Amino acid sequence: MLSSQVVNPEQLLVAISQQKRMPMVRIGEALLALGLVTQAQLDDALAQQQRDRGVPLGEVLIQLEFVSRQDLKMALARKMGYPVVDVGKFPVEAEALRKLPYAVAARLEAMPLLLREGSLIVALEDPSQRKHIDELAFITQCKIVPVLAEHRQQMDAALYEAYARIGADLSLDSGGKPALPAVQLDLEGEDSSALIASLELEGRESGVEEERAIEQSDNSLVRLINTMIIEAHQQGVSDIHIESYPGKEKVKIRFRKDGALVPYLELPHNYRTAVIARVKIMCDLDISERRKPQDGKINFARFVPQHKIELRVATIPTNNGLEDVVMRILASAKPLPLDKIGLSPWNLERLKAAMERPYGLVLCVGPTGSGKTTTLHSALSFINVPERKIWTAEDPVEITQPGLRQVQVNPKIDWTFAKALRAFLRADPDVIMVGEMRDAETASMGVEASLTGHLVLSTLHTNSAPETVTRLLDMGMDPFNFADSLLVVLAQRLVRRLCTQCRVSEPMPDEEAQTLLADFLHVCPPDPERFDAQALMARWQAQFGREGRLMKYHSPGCPHCNHTGYKGRAGIHELMVVSRELRRLIQTGARAEELQRQALFDGMQTLRQDGIEKVLMGITGMEEVRATSNT
């Protein structure tokens, strides 16, 4: 293979195409298969690498004099399929060279060869060095296709000559080294304000074109993104929003904290591309694709080992050829006990009764980020005993608990919720949790499973409990089977909690109490016996009042809540229990209003009604309840 070196673009593209069809082989396995090292030598080298993780295995083997550099290249070429390119004779494309500054190319000994469809083909001495490939992808913002460079001693001269031909800046520092500093990809977080100052100072000092300014600031950018993620996690943030704007407008980064977006920082406009590129590299997305949305996952411990944080990342293309990024911090937490998630006594009693049933369908509904997964895991923890086999299919697995058999679905390989559910039914389950009923196939299989002796839990994106029924019937569910299987539907929202450190109370004015009463009874059917205003007010005064008077709660703000008046979040709930009358309405395809009317007669409280009672308890404010629930 070494004798047939690649010297023109046509040969190289053919060789790369052949390499893609070859199975990947580890360098150690390749050397063993070629008889260039023994198993004992490989074990010694691996032990040495454990002590010095920054050095690639191939370099360790050379240092220990187990193999020569030529042997290593032969193994890379033969077993891993890397084409071998004679950099001295290859006609390098000027467009490829312009993607990578000379200073970086000289430091990494990397020769850009060709640019094809957003991919940059680069000749390297060791194409298996992931760190160098990540750095090249970050700087060029292209997908890197590595090939093997032959004649390493000719690399410096070949690089100098190639870059000189296109009139590139060939400046080096006084020691003959490249003027551009290395990008350190694994740095720990620091103080974000100091890093912003550093970025802006470097931007002013560089005074060069946009691309160069980004390169000069790489170290600070990497530290800044690490710091941003660490600070977000420490502050209890649920989502990080990175928003890029055209022209010279700054990049805005905002945190979603307790359900509300708050500004975090702004970056100079010429860093927007590098910020997005860095995030993409962290979750192995295609750095050259900016026209389509992508999603991935960051295991942050790879970059800062002492922080065990996982993030779900979505990139969204916006106008002017820009991109936004939203990162959700996954709560790798233990489930809350069912008694602690804020359910009212009526809701708690009936949800527990449904969870103790041997079979049926339990649905938890609400918008994205309303705590549905947390509630389902709390319900599962209530029935999680050694006598029950519980399977869950989730995307992603956010909460873990012993005793559950949890499965991560992956639509990219056609491992969907429906296929996971079908597999579970062959695995002798008692209880099945499906992360989401996204399509008719998953929903119909869930209904069938609940009718054949399994308790099935799932989530759905609907606004209220009665609307959930009509949504599933619209998806094509059989009304009779669905009515027979459904046990309860729990709709929920998250509202901001009043800060307990600065919360104050005063007697509620009568006019305000009457307003709350009218709001509570607004959706109730005209039935004086069941929904009597005087009886309801008497119950409130006995249950929530102080010395017979309802109290009004308010948090003016303090350092503990960052002077917002709110700290943390609480749930408001709407539990619809399927009674005999409701089952008959479902079978006849009744509208959501009719289902709600019957559910209210059966004892259900709407989201607004549950929220009003939590206002009377001093848990949240009425403006929060109005913002998250319809009348």
Side-chain angles (χ1 to χ4, degrees):
M1 184 99 180
L2 288 174
S3 60
S4 56
Q5 294 155 2
V6 173
V7 292
N8 63 55
E10 292 74 21
Q11 290 176 342
L12 181 56
L13 293 173
V14 169
I16 289 170
S17 175
Q18 291 172 347
Q19 184 205 4
K20 285 179 181 175
R21 294 193 290 269
M22 288 185 65
M24 280 301 292
V25 181
R26 293 178 183 274
I27 185 62
E29 295 170 6
L31 290 165
L32 273 176
L34 290 169
L36 296 172
V37 295
T38 64
Q39 186 63 55
Q41 288 174 326
L42 182 59
D43 292 341
D44 288 347
L46 288 168
Q48 175 77 20
Q49 193 193 26
Q50 286 291 320
R51 295 190 289 273
D52 191 359
R53 288 182 176 274
V55 181
L57 179 61
E59 198 61 38
V60 173
L61 288 161
I62 292 169
Q63 289 173 4
L64 294 172
E65 299 182 354
F66 292 157
V67 296
S68 67
R69 201 168 292 278
Q70 193 69 10
D71 289 339
L72 187 64
K73 286 191 175 185
M74 181 165 59
L76 284 166
R78 287 192 181 172
K79 285 292 180 181
M80 302 181 80
Y82 289 114
V84 183
V85 177
D86 187 336
V87 293
K89 296 178 182 177
F90 195 92
V92 178
E93 290 184 357
E95 190 182 1
L97 291 170
R98 290 192 186 100
K99 279 287 181 183
L100 188 68
Y102 171 70
V104 181
R107 173 169 55 77
L108 297 181
E109 294 188 322
M111 173 69 89
L113 302 173
L114 304 173
L115 187 63
R116 292 289 185 275
E117 298 176 357
S119 296
L120 185 65
I121 302 170
V122 182
L124 295 161
E125 184 205 347
D126 183 358
S128 62
Q129 280 210 40
R130 189 73 224 174
K131 189 175 179 182
H132 286 180
I133 292 168
D134 281 350
E135 184 173 345
L136 290 168
F138 181 58
I139 291 168
T140 63
Q141 292 166 39
C142 295
K143 183 180 178 182
I144 301 298
V145 179
V147 298
L148 187 58
E150 178 60 342
H151 301 312
R152 177 175 180 262
Q153 61 275 19
Q154 296 179 8
M155 179 66 88
D156 291 345
L159 279 170
Y160 192 92
E161 185 181 333
Y163 277 94
R165 279 200 302 270
I166 64 167
D169 178 9
L170 302 175
S171 58
L172 299 173
D173 66 16
S174 56
K177 298 289 182 185
L180 208 62
V183 178
Q184 297 298 324
L185 292 180
D186 299 335
L187 293 172
E188 196 172 334
E190 300 172 18
D191 179 65
S192 56
S193 56
L195 286 166
I196 290 293
S198 163
L199 277 172
E200 292 182 341
L201 179 65
E202 287 170 3
R204 286 197 298 271
E205 286 175 351
S206 61
V208 291
E209 70 275 10
E210 182 174 316
E211 288 78 14
R212 183 62 178 266
I214 292 169
E215 292 154 15
Q216 293 284 7
S217 304
D218 282 346
N219 286 342
S220 297
L221 255 179
V222 171
R223 292 201 304 272
L224 177 70
I225 291 171
N226 288 352
T227 302
M228 174 182 74
I229 292 170
I230 292 165
E231 287 184 0
H233 185 250
Q234 290 170 345
Q235 292 176 27
V237 167
S238 61
D239 300 88
I240 301 168
H241 293 249
I242 303 173
E243 301 160 355
S244 49
Y245 295 89
K248 298 206 171 184
E249 285 192 65
K250 290 191 171 185
V251 178
K252 292 181 174 63
I253 299 177
R254 296 191 286 170
F255 286 171
R256 188 174 292 281
K257 209 169 169 183
D258 292 338
L261 279 172
V262 293
Y264 172 63
L265 58 84
E266 294 185 351
L267 285 172
H269 72 279
N270 52 334
Y271 297 106
R272 62 180 167 233
T273 311
V275 169
I276 306 291
R278 173 63 186 151
V279 173
K280 283 185 174 180
I281 283 171
M282 291 174 81
C283 52
D284 295 323
L285 296 181
D286 184 352
I287 201 167
S288 64
E289 180 55 76
R290 301 180 195 167
R291 299 163 299 171
K292 293 191 299 188
Q294 299 183 68
D295 57 89
K297 199 170 178 181
I298 296 174
N299 178 10
F300 191 62
R302 282 175 51 205
F303 306 96
V304 185
Q306 59 269 44
H307 291 280
K308 310 293 186 205
I309 306 171
E310 286 195 347
L311 301 99
R312 190 170 64 200
V313 179
T315 69
I316 313 289
T318 59
N319 63 335
N320 297 297
L322 302 176
E323 282 182 291
D324 278 15
V325 170
V326 179
M327 297 189 280
R328 166 156 291 188
I329 299 175
L330 302 179
S332 300
K334 301 299 175 191
L336 291 167
L338 195 55
D339 299 356
K340 304 289 184 187
I341 63 171
L343 290 164
S344 68
W346 191 93
N347 288 342
L348 180 62
E349 180 187 342
R350 280 150 185 81
L351 182 58
K352 282 184 174 179
M355 292 302 298
E356 288 171 338
R357 297 279 289 274
Y359 56 87
L361 184 62
V362 175
L363 296 175
C364 187
V365 303
T368 303
S370 59
K372 301 186 294 294
T373 304
T374 303
T375 298
L376 285 187
H377 270 280
S378 297
L380 286 176
S381 71
F382 175 67
I383 59 167
N384 184 9
V385 292
E387 294 77 32
R388 282 194 180 94
K389 181 63 177 273
I390 303 175
W391 284 98
T392 78
E394 302 169 70
D395 184 21
V397 175
E398 294 183 43
I399 300 172
T400 58
Q401 50 178 308
L404 265 57
R405 310 309 302 144
Q406 296 178 266
V407 171
Q408 166 92 46
V409 301
N410 186 353
K412 289 179 183 175
I413 59 169
D414 200 28
W415 175 234
T416 60
F417 284 122
K419 292 200 171 178
L421 184 51
R422 190 176 288 116
F424 291 169
L425 291 173
R426 295 193 292 267
D428 187 29
D430 295 304
V431 181
I432 297 170
M433 186 185 105
V434 184
E436 189 181 337
M437 286 188 169
R438 291 180 180 168
D439 50 58
E441 184 187 6
T442 310
S444 61
M445 286 193 63
V447 170
E448 285 176 26
S450 65
L451 288 170
T452 54
H454 307 97
L455 184 64
V456 179
L457 288 73
S458 190
T459 70
L460 211 66
H461 288 128
T462 55
N463 288 322
S464 69
E467 285 177 39
T468 304
V469 173
T470 55
R471 169 74 62 84
L472 284 165
L473 292 178
D474 287 344
M475 285 169 66
M477 298 300 100
D478 178 75
F480 287 88
N481 285 345
F482 178 54
D484 288 342
S485 70
L486 189 62
L487 298 176
V488 295
V489 183
L490 178 70
Q492 70 178 58
R493 299 288 188 280
L494 292 179
V495 293
R496 291 187 293 171
R497 257 181 205 278
L498 290 174
C499 174
T500 55
Q501 301 293 313
C502 60
R503 185 177 64 188
V504 292
S505 62
E506 60 185 13
M508 183 181 289
D510 289 340
E511 302 80 26
E512 199 166 322
Q514 289 301 319
T515 302
L516 288 181
L517 192 64
D519 203 350
F520 189 96
L521 293 172
H522 175 70
V523 295
C524 295
D527 188 323
E529 291 184 17
R530 286 174 179 263
F531 306 109
D532 179 61
Q534 289 183 343
L536 179 61
M537 180 60 77
R539 179 172 71 80
W540 280 359
Q541 288 170 345
Q543 194 171 348
F544 309 119
R546 193 180 299 166
E547 297 176 359
R549 288 291 305 272
L550 294 177
M551 304 302 291
K552 179 181 179 180
Y553 295 89
H554 171 61
S555 295
C558 64
H560 180 69
C561 61
N562 203 20
H563 301 283
T564 61
Y566 294 99
K567 184 73 174 177
R569 288 195 284 179
I572 58 174
H573 305 92
E574 174 179 295
L575 185 73
M576 185 175 80
V577 181
V578 180
S579 61
R580 183 177 296 136
E581 293 78 12
L582 260 175
R583 185 167 286 114
R584 184 180 54 79
L585 287 172
I586 295 170
Q587 289 169 346
T588 56
R591 292 179 298 115
E593 293 82 0
E594 297 173 77
L595 297 173
Q596 178 173 289
R597 178 189 174 94
Q598 182 58 50
L600 287 166
F601 274 119
D602 292 341
M604 180 186 87
Q605 285 190 343
T606 65
L607 288 165
R608 176 65 65 90
Q609 291 172 337
D610 192 55
I612 289 171
E613 293 202 344
K614 287 187 166 71
V615 169
L616 295 172
M617 294 163 69
I619 292 173
T620 188
M622 194 60 210
E623 63 280 359
E624 281 293 302
V625 174
R626 289 196 178 103
T628 54
S629 62
N630 291 330
T631 52

